[in-house]
Amino acid sequence: MMKFGSKNSANTPIKCTIRLLDDNQLLYSEFQINEKGSSLISRICEQLDLIEKDYFGLRYVDSKRQRHWLEPSKSIFKQIRDMEADNILFSFRVKFYPPNPFRLKEDITRYQIYLQLKRDLLHGRLYCNTSEAALLGAYILQAELGDFNPEEHIDNYVNELKILLKQTLQLEEKMMDIHKNELKGKTAAEMETIFLKKACILDTYGVDPHAVKDQRGNQLYLGINHTGILTFQGSKKMNHFSWSQVQKINFEGKMFIIHIILNEDQRIKKKQTIGFKCPRGSSCRHVWKCAVEQMLFFTFPSSSDVPNVVSGGGFFSWGTKFKYSGRVEREILEDMTITRESPSVTRVGSLRRKSSSEPPTPSNLVINQVAGFNSLPRSLTNTSEEYNTSIDSSNQIDNSSVLETLLEDQEIMTSKNFTTMGTDGSPLIQSISNQQSGQKHLETTAIRNSESSLSFLRQTLLPVIFALFMMVLIVVIILESDFDVIATIRKAPEIAAFKKNYYEPSKDFLLRRFIRSKIF
């Protein structure tokens, strides 16, 4: 068993699996214990031939089923130390949705945005009304199946495909009608362009709903994207706080707090504080980090201007510190160093079939049965009954009328076989089985335990030592200073007795022990 900090432990690679935007594709990779998140993200983007990598990130779910983005500036191991050593799974996702996908410089980047939006439509994050859902679904059919062919596309050929979260017969008939009569001759690239143009103007573009409650206890979903912070109740958008209105974002315990400035007219500005209660403190911290990161990425002119942010601290805690890492959007758009010829896009037909079984997954997290494509919202999985997400059925329409999403380990992968990329980039058809040896598991567990001990020292012992130091400092100031106000306090009988019986003997002992002994 390795000891933390030994030479061998630092050189032991830790294996992980990366699930790509197309669930049929996985990458195997590994990282060193001291390696930072930015290194792994860069390697994945390099294998996918992506230069505009700043829009993407790696997401993971911890042992308590809380989602996190892998922070580029921190050690990977320190971030995922609570995960099982032989089941480390990351999901490659779009982290910052570009306001205008057509300002991206390369088609291959836009294709990844398309794959992400197709996932969002399937899992209920890209909410739209019935007609818009049918239209977007038809665009996907044309892009991935090609022109309608009466010999191949027989009867209700959409019925066995999974395109929408709530896919009714009415929607399927509408999609097939548009596919058959309106899109003939359109290429996959053309349909992806049309799909992006339609999707990027929706209110829920780039929104990953977080379940919260307002001050009245009403169930809401909080969305954060390039425009600001949005709130939804059921399928209805309630509020939109643009980044220009947001003055400050912080959290305290389970409360996510937004400080905004409202311009009632040109002369009067009204400050307002709005709070939302999250299910748990960890989910509130996650919402806060997401909001801060989105605001910094889309509003600051350069990464050098971005300050460090701290929130959620108290007398006996340091609070949560966040240090932004990477470029901001303006720097990416103004970057003129991309001069290569745009690489060709390798498209994969990845429409899922409802009847397909779920392949094995490297994650041992419990996967809930998802019946009828209904699910709990991501942020509410494994929470108390107080945060019940049941919504009145009268608010639900045929398609995904309520912002419902699935946890990463619940998002069903539907092919029995999938493509796994080797380190050389060549595809390997195999099932997931990423089990490490027992010895390596023990080694990693030992390192994790050592890390936990250090974390305990940082979070508990240091604040206690600091509090004791401050108490001693206050006593010294009261008993040694010459200020008139303090001199009056010092004359109190209790203070005088304390000084005579405890302070003066302790002071004489320290002087004799550490100072006078050195002089003589």
Side-chain angles (χ1 to χ4, degrees):
M1 184 180 296
M2 289 186 182
K3 294 182 179 180
F4 179 75
S6 67
K7 183 177 179 181
N8 290 333
S9 67
N11 295 327
T12 302
I14 301 174
K15 294 185 178 182
C16 63
T17 303
I18 315 296
R19 180 186 293 166
L20 302 181
L21 286 166
D22 177 7
D23 279 336
N24 295 326
Q25 290 184 309
L26 300 170
L27 293 177
Y28 286 148
S29 189
E30 58 185 29
F31 58 89
Q32 300 294 330
I33 289 175
N34 297 323
E35 192 171 345
K36 292 185 177 181
S38 58
S39 178
L40 181 60
I41 296 171
S42 296
R43 278 205 303 278
I44 302 304
C45 289
E46 183 178 350
Q47 284 191 262
L48 296 176
D49 206 10
L50 293 172
I51 291 182
E52 298 169 285
K53 60 183 179 181
D54 304 83
Y55 294 99
F56 303 93
L58 293 177
R59 194 163 60 197
Y60 65 95
V61 181
D62 66 18
S63 59
K64 297 180 180 178
R65 299 177 66 78
Q66 175 59 50
R67 291 179 306 143
H68 302 274
W69 285 105
L70 187 68
E71 295 190 36
S73 60
K74 292 185 178 180
S75 163
I76 302 172
F77 185 81
K78 289 181 179 180
Q79 296 181 66
I80 55 105
R81 58 175 174 256
D82 293 332
M83 297 174 67
E84 291 293 331
D86 55 350
N87 292 301
I88 298 176
L89 173 67
F90 295 106
S91 295
F92 179 78
R93 299 291 180 258
V94 175
K95 188 175 184 180
F96 303 107
Y97 290 69
N100 183 358
F102 301 99
R103 295 190 69 184
L104 298 172
K105 294 179 173 63
E106 297 195 328
D107 292 336
I108 195 170
T109 313
R110 265 186 294 276
Y111 180 65
Q112 295 295 325
I113 305 296
Y114 163 76
L115 291 178
Q116 177 69 70
L117 290 171
K118 193 175 70 166
R119 286 181 60 89
D120 293 346
L121 187 66
L122 173 62
H123 295 297
R125 293 184 290 272
L126 186 63
Y127 164 75
C128 49
N129 60 39
T130 306
S131 59
E132 291 170 332
L135 199 58
L136 291 173
Y139 294 160
I140 295 174
L141 289 175
Q142 180 67 24
E144 303 205 11
L145 300 182
D147 290 341
F148 175 80
N149 186 337
E151 296 180 358
E152 296 180 6
H153 305 139
I154 304 171
D155 299 326
N156 186 358
Y157 59 94
V158 181
N159 179 256
E160 59 182 23
L161 304 175
K162 290 172 61 178
I163 299 175
L164 305 173
L165 179 64
K166 292 181 179 178
Q167 195 165 305
T168 64
L169 179 61
Q170 180 184 2
L171 273 169
E172 291 171 350
E173 291 175 347
K174 184 63 176 175
M175 282 190 286
M176 289 187 293
D177 181 64
I178 297 173
H179 179 218
K180 178 180 179 180
N181 300 315
E182 300 180 21
L183 304 177
K184 186 176 181 179
K186 299 289 186 181
T187 65
E190 290 174 328
M191 293 317 306
E192 290 162 11
T193 298
I194 297 172
F195 181 95
L196 288 175
K197 286 181 179 179
K198 182 68 176 177
C200 71
I201 62 174
L202 296 174
D203 286 335
T204 51
Y205 171 72
V207 165
D208 190 5
H210 305 273
V212 296
K213 285 190 174 183
D214 64 12
Q215 58 185 2
R216 298 179 180 177
N218 297 320
Q219 182 68 60
L220 302 176
Y221 293 97
L222 205 65
I224 306 162
N225 63 10
H226 65 278
T227 64
I229 301 174
L230 305 92
T231 61
F232 298 86
Q233 188 170 29
S235 59
K236 182 180 179 181
K237 185 175 76 170
M238 304 299 292
N239 294 290
H240 178 205
F241 309 111
S242 65
W243 292 128
S244 60
Q245 294 176 313
V246 177
Q247 184 184 31
K248 181 183 177 182
I249 305 170
N250 67 311
F251 76 96
E252 296 178 4
K254 297 180 181 180
M255 291 299 297
F256 174 68
I257 304 168
I258 309 171
H259 304 264
I260 62 173
I261 297 179
L262 301 176
N263 295 324
E264 297 186 348
D265 56 42
Q266 294 181 351
R267 297 182 180 180
I268 301 175
K269 291 185 177 181
K270 181 181 178 182
K271 293 185 178 181
Q272 189 174 355
T273 301
I274 304 171
F276 300 95
K277 188 176 182 180
C278 299
R280 301 180 303 277
S282 58
S283 59
C284 188
R285 185 165 55 250
H286 175 67
V287 174
W288 173 76
K289 281 187 176 181
C290 290
V292 168
E293 214 165 5
Q294 294 283 327
M295 183 177 69
L296 297 177
F297 182 83
F298 288 111
T299 61
F300 271 73
S302 72
S303 54
S304 60
D305 297 327
V306 175
N308 293 336
V309 185
V310 180
S311 183
F315 186 77
F316 289 103
S317 64
W318 302 112
T320 297
K321 299 179 181 179
F322 177 77
K323 183 178 180 181
Y324 182 83
S325 177
R327 298 186 297 175
V328 298
E329 188 200 23
R330 183 176 297 183
E331 291 175 321
I332 301 168
L333 296 177
E334 293 175 354
D335 183 9
M336 305 304 294
T337 60
I338 299 179
T339 57
R340 71 172 184 176
E341 184 178 350
S342 183
S344 59
V345 178
T346 304
R347 293 175 170 84
V348 288
S350 57
L351 279 181
R352 307 177 182 183
R353 296 186 177 274
K354 295 180 183 177
S355 58
S356 299
S357 61
E358 182 180 357
T361 169
S363 174
N364 276 340
L365 296 172
V366 178
I367 300 178
N368 296 333
Q369 182 96 15
V370 182
F373 310 109
N374 292 315
S375 68
L376 288 177
R378 291 179 157 208
S379 306
L380 287 188
T381 343
N382 198 25
T383 60
S384 63
E385 292 182 1
E386 178 186 0
Y387 296 92
N388 188 356
T389 59
S390 59
I391 300 174
D392 186 73
S393 58
S394 61
N395 290 333
Q396 297 183 4
I397 57 178
D398 290 337
N399 68 316
S400 176
S401 62
V402 178
L403 291 178
E404 294 186 273
T405 59
L406 304 177
L407 205 64
E408 281 297 338
D409 60 322
Q410 291 175 318
E411 292 179 359
I412 298 177
M413 299 186 297
T414 57
S415 11
K416 294 182 179 179
N417 293 324
F418 50 83
T419 305
T420 302
M421 302 292 185
T423 55
D424 58 351
S426 59
L428 303 172
I429 304 299
Q430 53 182 319
S431 63
I432 300 180
S433 178
N434 189 21
Q435 298 181 349
Q436 299 179 357
S437 65
Q439 177 65 26
K440 183 169 291 186
H441 175 73
L442 292 174
E443 293 168 353
T444 310
T445 303
I447 297 170
R448 182 181 293 114
N449 292 336
S450 300
E451 278 286 302
S452 299
S453 300
L454 292 175
S455 178
F456 172 79
L457 291 176
R458 286 194 298 266
Q459 297 178 9
T460 305
L461 189 58
L462 290 180
V464 171
I465 294 174
F466 178 74
L468 291 174
F469 172 77
M470 292 301 298
M471 291 173 62
V472 172
L473 183 62
I474 292 171
V475 169
V476 172
I477 291 174
I478 292 175
L479 299 180
E480 297 289 346
S481 61
D482 296 329
F483 295 108
D484 294 337
V485 177
I486 297 178
T488 304
I489 298 174
R490 196 160 50 237
K491 291 178 181 179
E494 296 83 358
I495 301 297
F498 174 80
K499 181 177 181 181
K500 180 179 179 181
N501 297 328
Y502 299 101
Y503 180 75
E504 291 293 351
S506 300
K507 177 182 175 182
D508 291 340
F509 171 77
L510 293 174
L511 289 174
R512 289 195 306 270
R513 181 70 178 82
F514 296 104
I515 298 179
R516 291 174 184 173
S517 60
K518 292 182 179 180
I519 295 175
F520 298 105

